[in-house]
Amino acid sequence: MDFSERPCKKLCFVTIGATASFDALIAAALSQEFLGTLREAGYTDLLLQHGDEGRKRFEDFIVQHRRDSPERQGLNLNGFDFNRKGLGREMRSAKGENGAVEGVVISHAGSGSILEALRIGVPLIVVPNPDLLDNHQAELAVELAAQGYVVHGRLNVSDLPAAVRETETLRKRQKEWPPINSAEDPSGRGLAGVMDDEMGFVD
């Protein structure tokens, strides 16, 4: 494939949030399996919000694999620690602006990041951080995926690439946020119940 002939930008934005490190997600996003899947799906750019602890992993990858190296899979790679003004701009870029093709956001399962992506309406993969104690991230990801709002991603070699492929189906049936009736779900608790645990409210 001649990467120079790609006419439109298609961005995958990965965010780990501001409160906890999530090096495993950064590592998964820089794996050859994942980068190859992005290339096959027509992505041109990968943007990582890697946090302070993930900076070294990202910078080491950039140093070891120069722009034209095959390990980059023809992708433009960029990263940053965190944007204190929020991540709305990055998520809107993944949504597709100024002729760009709609891409995807891959996020830790923090409720703030999830709500922002849902409001923007960008396809979203939610990946719970297994290192956090006493959190509801896995429950939140399962609930949102069951209701068709997100794809539930997991940290292994095959699942995160599979989640990217699944978003191509999700974008065709993207549901608007907020839900018309957040209390209707098989668990009986409703989306509002899960979000109440995370944030204390749903607006």
Side-chain angles (χ1 to χ4, degrees):
M1 178 182 292
D2 185 351
F3 300 116
S4 66
E5 294 181 357
R6 289 181 179 172
C8 297
K9 178 179 179 179
K10 187 176 182 181
L11 172 67
C12 172
F13 172 48
V14 178
T15 173
I16 66 167
T19 59
S21 63
F22 198 175
D23 191 56
L25 180 54
I26 301 303
L30 292 173
S31 70
Q32 288 301 294
E33 292 81 4
F34 181 75
L35 295 177
T37 297
L38 291 183
R39 173 182 56 79
E40 292 168 4
Y43 285 84
T44 61
D45 291 74
L46 172 62
L47 176 61
L48 299 176
Q49 182 264 309
H50 47 61
D52 185 59
E53 293 186 23
R55 184 192 306 115
K56 185 177 187 305
R57 181 180 292 277
F58 175 75
E59 292 179 347
D60 285 349
F61 184 92
I62 295 299
V63 170
Q64 294 167 14
H65 307 298
R66 297 299 181 180
R67 182 174 297 275
D68 295 328
S69 68
E71 288 81 6
R72 290 207 189 191
Q73 299 285 343
L75 298 169
N76 299 313
L77 304 182
N78 292 284
F80 64 99
D81 285 358
F82 190 72
N83 185 348
R84 295 187 181 278
K85 296 181 179 180
L87 300 174
R89 183 179 65 179
E90 290 79 7
M91 291 187 181
R92 286 189 294 272
S93 293
K95 175 66 177 173
E97 295 179 332
N98 302 319
V101 176
E102 184 178 69
V104 69
V105 170
I106 300 176
S107 175
H108 70 124
S111 53
S113 297
I114 290 174
L115 281 172
E116 187 158 19
L118 289 175
R119 287 167 178 153
I120 291 171
V122 60
L124 176 63
I125 298 171
V126 175
V127 184
N129 187 341
D131 294 333
L132 297 182
L133 299 176
D134 299 323
N135 75 87
H136 300 282
Q137 287 204 356
E139 183 183 3
L140 184 60
V142 168
E143 185 76 16
L144 288 168
Q147 296 197 27
Y149 288 100
V150 308
V151 173
H152 181 191
R154 298 170 181 81
L155 290 172
N156 58 58
V157 172
S158 62
D159 191 82
L160 200 56
V164 169
R165 291 188 287 268
E166 189 176 344
T167 59
E168 298 306 311
T169 300
L170 177 67
R171 78 175 76 252
K172 296 176 184 177
R173 53 174 174 78
Q174 189 79 29
K175 299 174 69 174
E176 292 187 4
W177 183 271
I180 295 174
N181 188 348
S182 61
E184 291 183 1
D185 76 286
S187 72
R189 292 187 60 214
L191 186 56
V194 180
M195 295 302 266
D196 280 346
D197 287 342
E198 282 291 294
M199 296 189 71
F201 65 93
V202 175
D203 59 1

